[in-house]
Amino acid sequence: MAPAHTPRIFSGIQPSGGLTLGNYLGALKRFAEKQGEVETVFCLVDLHAITVWQDPERLRRQTREAAAAFIAAGIDPAQSVLFVQSHVTAHAELGWMLSCVARVGWMNRMTQFKDKAGKNAEAVSLGLYAYPALMAADILAYKATHVPVGEDQKQHVELTRDIAAKFNHDYGVDFFPMPEPVIEGAATRVMSLRDGTKKMSKSDPSDASRINLTDDADMIAQKIRKARTDADPLPGSMEGLKDRPEARNLVNVHAALSGETPDAVLARFEGQGFGAFKPALAELAVSVLAPITTRMNQLMDDPAEIDRILLDGAARADAIAAPIVAEAREIMGMIPAAR
């Protein structure tokens, strides 16, 4: 029997600037690898970005920079759909419709809102509270079946499944699929170079804690050489790194960059210290990341070409999403819009 829903991957990245090695290994590299397996739809979620105030010029620049990173990392705009969220009105429309399906109690359980709002929850935007419904719409507007995410975003996919199930139940249909989170491989969660217990983040005050996709070869090598480690030699398996978070992080990064398993990396470096491991990792990181940085810079020198690619992607995205949202509108009882 044919599947009820055609396999389709959807994922979005917020264009908040400062993309890092973590974004590359945890998202962009994986996105590029998925091309050709199934239909892939990638979105720069600027509507999510404005849940907190953004400088308009900076947001435009960061959105183009994120697009450049996608392309430089191997996303082929002719093979995948790459676009800006606000260019496709289906996202906002379905976001409202699904916010009427989602329950307030579900939103209250979302840990990311609590983390971002902190003690100032009464003063943050309504959008920051309600944006998980928009995130569900991002996914369901394409009837996506698989969503590559980090561990910290898995809860949003689970909420999307809850919203899809309630919509289907409320209207007696099998309309939306139950999207599956895709979390796989080494270095899914890349940690800080200064503290192996914390995720690598652009918001960390120390630039030495991360490798930026805009760092040049010398800077990449320098940051790896200065990364925090310990004095013990490397063991023969990952089990030996259980209580060594900084060492475990660097081995995972090497594995993700080289396409090996972490244990295969350790088999090669067993018994050696970081005096041998770090130069090898630095050389590998530069060989992978320097061409990406160069290509990003070339693209950023031609913003009109980036805009052309994104507008073409928006037209293709709209061709998928508009009929789905139109059908959802009719299922909910709204009079069909004129064709």
Side-chain angles (χ1 to χ4, degrees):
M1 181 182 294
H5 298 284
T6 303
R8 179 178 288 138
I9 289 174
F10 175 91
S11 196
I13 283 185
Q14 194 169 143
S16 50
L19 291 174
T20 69
L21 173 68
N23 297 119
Y24 173 69
L25 292 178
L28 300 179
K29 180 175 183 285
R30 300 185 188 283
F31 293 170
E33 291 168 349
K34 295 295 183 184
Q35 289 182 129
E37 295 180 10
V38 297
E39 187 174 17
T40 44
V41 180
F42 301 123
C43 181
L44 307 174
V45 290
D46 55 343
L47 294 176
H48 290 296
I50 62 170
T51 56
V52 297
W53 189 86
Q54 301 284 341
D55 175 83
E57 278 302 319
R58 186 177 181 189
L59 179 59
R60 279 188 280 272
R61 183 179 67 254
Q62 289 174 171
T63 303
R64 292 187 178 107
E65 183 180 270
F70 267 83
I71 298 166
I75 299 300
D76 180 357
Q79 193 172 1
S80 294
V81 180
L82 175 63
F83 69 103
V84 177
Q85 182 187 28
S86 63
H87 290 174
V88 179
T89 58
H91 290 254
E93 182 179 0
L94 187 60
W96 173 254
M97 293 158 66
L98 296 184
S99 73
C100 297
V101 175
R103 305 291 89 178
V104 169
W106 299 354
M107 298 297 173
N108 288 338
R109 291 195 294 270
M110 301 305 289
T111 57
Q112 283 213 333
F113 172 76
K114 296 172 186 176
D115 293 343
K116 290 182 178 180
K119 298 177 180 178
N120 202 31
E122 295 294 319
V124 300
S125 75
L126 176 60
L128 187 62
Y129 177 76
Y131 86 92
L134 177 59
M135 186 175 288
D138 297 337
I139 297 166
L140 296 177
Y142 301 91
K143 290 192 175 181
T145 55
H146 296 83
V147 185
V149 290
E151 283 285 354
D152 56 341
Q153 289 288 331
K154 186 177 178 183
Q155 188 185 33
H156 285 284
V157 182
E158 292 169 349
L159 175 68
T160 299
R161 291 168 60 90
D162 289 340
I163 292 173
K166 189 172 190 304
F167 180 98
N168 290 347
H169 176 268
D170 288 353
Y171 294 99
V173 294
D174 181 19
F175 185 65
F176 288 124
M178 298 294 110
E180 295 286 344
V182 179
I183 304 169
E184 57 189 13
T188 299
R189 189 174 173 88
V190 180
M191 312 308 283
S192 166
L193 298 180
R194 308 305 298 163
D195 182 348
T197 65
K198 295 180 180 179
K199 185 178 178 181
M200 183 177 287
S201 171
K202 65 182 182 300
S203 60
D204 191 305
S206 172
D207 188 61
S209 70
R210 59 186 170 270
I211 294 175
N212 305 299
L213 292 188
T214 53
D215 286 343
D216 62 24
D218 289 342
M219 183 61 70
I220 292 169
Q222 178 182 321
K223 287 180 176 180
I224 290 174
R225 284 198 304 272
K226 293 184 176 180
R228 181 174 296 171
T229 50
D230 54 49
D232 294 335
L234 287 166
S237 72
M238 288 298 284
E239 180 63 27
L241 295 179
K242 183 178 178 182
D243 299 315
R244 299 169 63 184
E246 284 81 19
R248 186 172 65 247
N249 182 46
L250 292 187
V251 170
N252 275 332
V253 168
H254 192 299
L257 286 170
S258 64
E260 301 170 277
T261 65
D263 281 339
V265 174
L266 286 173
R268 196 161 68 254
F269 288 94
E270 183 177 5
Q272 299 184 55
F274 285 97
F277 184 81
K278 281 184 176 180
L281 176 57
E283 182 179 357
L284 174 62
V286 167
S287 71
V288 173
L289 297 179
I292 294 173
T293 301
T294 299
R295 178 64 176 141
M296 280 182 65
N297 290 336
Q298 291 170 347
L299 288 162
M300 288 300 288
D301 286 339
D302 191 358
E305 176 61 9
I306 294 177
D307 292 355
R308 184 198 66 76
I309 291 169
L310 293 174
L311 289 172
D312 177 70
R316 292 163 61 204
D318 185 69
I320 300 169
I324 291 172
V325 175
E327 189 173 351
R329 192 189 305 131
E330 294 183 32
I331 289 170
M332 294 182 80
M334 301 172 206
I335 295 172
R339 295 291 198 273

